[in-house]
Amino acid sequence: MKSPLHVAVTGAAGQIGYSLLFRIASGSMFGTEQPVVLHLIEIEPALKALNGVVMELEDCAFPLLRGVKATSSLEEGFGGVNWALLVGSVPRKQGMERKDLLSINGKIFTEQGRALARHAAADVRILVVGNPCNTNCLIAKNNAPEIPDNRWFAMTMLDQNRAVAQLARKANVRVDEIRKMAIWGNHSSTMYPDFSNAEIQGKPVTAVISDHAWLENTFIPIVQKRGAAILEARGLSSAASAANAVVDTVRALTTPTASDNYFSVATSSDGSYGIEKGLIFSYPTKSDGATWEIIRGLPVNEFSQARILLTENELKEEKALIRDLIPH
């Protein structure tokens, strides 16, 4: 049996955390031969609820779960971790402007970045889930310059999964018959779900779905606004589907990507496709199981370019709003 991986989860007693922890402990994320130790981090007022979650984890008797630490201390919680899943963040409330949300969460992710640099394992990898995840990731990364840029990720897999589900439903095919469905840019209403390079049963989406007006005017807004639609219907933000996307993202990064496919994750831009260097930007990506790289040379038509530029500009605006939180 392998040595245990130490996995930190912030906001561990929240809805996404609650849906996520049991998937990790059961082996869904790292495989059925990889034991784990969970480092569960919460704010002090939530520690009582977190202790209840710990009891439930114990009561599941997961063979792969080799230990659980529950704490409100970043130093203790991030100590020696190989993966940090930064789920917890302050949600946007009615009347709150984006600048306010970025400022509040910026302070949280500044502290988390610094703590990870000081206390995490040398091979730590970080996936930011708490929104606005791209810019929260940018803040944490820039406050932890000791951790290489290629260890930082922000989640857009939920958007990819939503896009795949919509295409499969429209084309009346299985979701696993959709390939190369990538999300570009920011995890926000400006994201671009790129149907132009996607495939259905090996054929271009545009050859299978002849209703191009639906693709441009219905499909894209559905994916962009799906989170808001769920919030309106459920009265709560996406939780189980978000937790599932966390699992999918980590598995995609740690499993070789099929030769006929790629996946979506936001990473530190190296300038590919003309995107400003250093922005946390979602690209089509592939992995060999140990390292990852951006897919190069994809055709970007005028329609796609306009939407990629729109989401890049939003990320630039967010970066400008939190410039005081980025060390120079």
Side-chain angles (χ1 to χ4, degrees), residues 66-263:
R66 299 303 171 82
V68 180
K69 299 178 181 181
T71 182
S72 61
S73 163
L74 294 180
E75 178 179 356
E76 182 181 352
F78 288 146
V81 297
N82 309 105
W83 274 91
L85 309 175
L86 307 186
V87 175
S89 66
V90 175
R92 188 168 180 171
K93 299 173 184 176
Q94 189 170 6
M96 184 183 289
E97 295 185 4
R98 186 173 56 169
K99 181 178 181 179
D100 300 325
L101 183 65
L102 286 165
S103 177
I104 294 168
N105 280 314
K107 295 178 177 65
I108 295 170
F109 284 85
T110 295
E111 293 177 6
Q112 291 183 357
R114 292 172 179 170
L116 283 163
R118 289 194 298 266
H119 304 295
D123 66 349
V124 67
R125 285 187 269 184
I126 303 101
L127 175 63
V128 179
V129 179
N131 285 319
C133 64
N134 294 60
T135 299
N136 286 340
C137 183
L138 179 71
I139 293 165
K141 180 182 78 71
N142 280 280
N143 280 278
E146 302 89 342
I147 301 174
D149 285 358
N150 64 1
R151 306 277 185 80
W152 295 91
F153 310 94
M155 190 174 81
T156 53
M157 182 66 80
L158 177 56
D159 310 306
Q160 176 184 315
N161 287 345
R162 289 167 170 168
V164 165
Q166 292 299 319
L167 290 177
R169 183 177 180 180
K170 181 69 172 178
N172 194 27
V173 300
R174 301 190 314 267
V175 292
D176 60 356
E177 293 178 299
I178 311 291
R179 290 285 192 273
K180 300 178 179 178
M181 180 62 243
I183 304 296
W184 297 79
N186 198 8
H187 173 64
S188 76
S189 60
T190 69
M191 76 181 78
Y192 174 47
D194 182 9
F195 63 84
S196 68
N197 286 305
E199 297 177 354
I200 299 175
Q201 296 177 333
K203 301 175 183 177
V205 164
T206 50
V208 177
I209 299 175
S210 58
D211 186 352
H212 293 183
W214 178 86
L215 288 168
E216 294 184 4
N217 303 318
T218 301
F219 166 70
I220 291 176
I222 284 175
V223 178
Q224 291 174 331
K225 299 175 183 177
R226 185 69 165 186
I230 290 170
L231 177 60
E232 182 180 352
R234 192 173 170 256
L236 296 165
S237 297
S238 308
S241 57
N244 180 70
V246 176
V247 174
D248 286 349
T249 302
V250 174
R251 286 196 66 80
L253 288 165
T254 56
T255 305
T257 307
S259 59
D260 65 342
N261 209 1
Y262 42 70
F263 63 93

Side-chain angles (χ1 to χ4, degrees), residues 184 192 194 196-197 273 297-306 308:
W184 297 79
Y192 174 47
D194 182 9
S196 68
N197 286 305
Y273 296 95
L298 291 176
V300 178
N301 60 29
E302 186 176 344
F303 178 87
S304 296
Q305 186 61 57
I308 291 171

Side-chain angles (χ1 to χ4, degrees), residues 269-289:
S269 171
D270 61 358
S272 293
Y273 296 95
I275 303 303
E276 180 180 302
K277 288 185 179 181
L279 289 179
I280 303 297
F281 194 91
S282 183
Y283 285 105
T285 306
K286 65 180 179 181
S287 172
D288 64 7

